[in-house]
Amino acid sequence: MKRREFVSAALTGGALLLTGKRFAAQEAKLADARIDVLLDEPIGRIAPEIYGHFVEHLGGVVYDGVWVGENSKIPNTGGIRNAIVEAMKRIKASVIRWPGGCFADSYNWRDGVGPRKDRPRRPNFWIDAQEWPKGAPDGPWKYDTNHFGSDDFLRFCQLSGAQPYLAANLRSLTARDFYEWVDYCNSPAGATTLAEMRAAAGQREPWRVRYWGIGNESWGCGGNFTPEEYAMEFRRFAEWVPRYGLNLAFIGSGPNGGDLSWSRRFFGRLAEKGGFGRLWGWGLHHYSWNVTGGRTNNWFEGKGDAVKYPNDEWYELLSEADRMETLITDHWSVMGEFDRQRRVKLVVDEWGAWYKPGSEVHPTHLLGQQSTIRDAVLAGLTLDTFHRHADKVAMANIAQLVNCLQSLFLAHEDKFILTPTYHVFELYAAHQGAQSLRTNVSAPRISYTRNGKPATMRGLNGSASIRDRQVTLTVTNPDPNAARETEIAVRGATIKEISVTTLVANDIHAHNSFDNPRVIEPQASQAQTPRGGVLIHSFAPASVTQLQITLA
Ligand code: AHR
């Protein structure tokens, strides 16, 4: 079967069986799954900031990724790669976090302002990382030239239509340095010496940065603090910063995955002083990687391959991603023990898949990796999870934007491609700012083998939102072996029209590359006519689907 015929079989509902690297067409199971969208059970507005991004000075993210330099032949605006800016506008990029990550706690913002030729060269935080691919030459990724600094990043946000989210250095700078960074970015035109310095760099008006992270991973690379020590530092940094008329939003460095004690002890310590002060958001980091198969849980060894994975690793990785649901509800419940009025929301400011080195497109791209259809399913199921908790999650930032971990783009010199993860952000953009609706998804669980033992995972995952009379329903089918025939109903309304767009591949390892950039792209697929208010749709194996449902 040719690829086009194969994909068309998948899209029209034929079930596909995984045979080694290839799928073969099979009969779909009859509707054994059901999705009910409950119009009268709104959860909350889906914050557009859930569709946030992350740019760190790490490997090829900034240099070779976002920043190509003003004198480059690669189309750019003031040194910023145009292709990324244009693609960011198409997905309505809402917010971008910078400059790290671990890098943030070794970064001095003063190094990156003023004339580029005068900026100092500094060793990058990641210089000694054991993951550097062999043959990575020296360059700005190891010795940062600081050619991309605050004004360059803020210009990138402005061009992309996104809000900036800056992470302060809590480990190696003082609170005063932080106040001065806020002054540089936000003080009124001409009001302070730093405002004049900003004007000299070409930006007279304040940048009006609202989101500020107070450190990063303060339990680890951000200072190795105890929660009590961090709570004290948080207060010192966040309490008395001038607002310059803005509603500043401070984000605390939250837990590593399921570390509930970090959340409990930090909130407990803040509560002792009578409240949460300037704490607007509580950061949560969760990466998904393969943990079984005799691997250690060390950064380098404890991971699977980005492209060459056996079936069990497919399931295991997606199950790890699906832990996001319990991480959100568990930390939310701990936060509620102290924050009874629910003033503080969750900010999942690092999430995504993390594989071992080897699939990066260039040796300078430390932690660079390919992104397959598996990553698209992971992105879809994670975003659906955020929507289902729209009342709790105020922002999320996939790690990272380009050339690093679960990227939306891969770029090297003049080569540039969109990954399957980008296409998920494109398909899901309609959810931004819409009202999330309770959506019951019921499907048989999928059985697989984890570490030699039987395990199961969700058969389908999804979420729905409404704006005017338009419902957006997004669904991932993580089963690489079978399409899932599903009855879909919108309780309390009649469906008038439906359109369906799907991201699907003919091989679970499929990905886009510089040579074949369009292997995985969204495709319009056939929607059946609803009968008796119920729509039957077959979700292709290993797919991400967006249904646009117009209500009568
Ligand atoms: O995203 C890569 C790194 O992962 C970040 O710098 C750090 O915050 C996390 O451990």
Side-chain angles (χ1 to χ4, degrees), residues 54 56 58 97 100-103 125-126 216-217 219 221 285 287 299 350 354 367 399-400 404-405:
F54 176 29
E56 177 166 7
L58 195 178
R97 178 174 183 242
C102 293
F103 176 86
F125 168 85
W126 294 95
N216 167 76
E217 298 194 348
W219 39 264
C221 65
H285 291 182
Y287 287 100
W299 269 21
E350 289 186 30
W354 191 325
L367 306 186
Q400 300 195 8
C404 185
L405 304 179

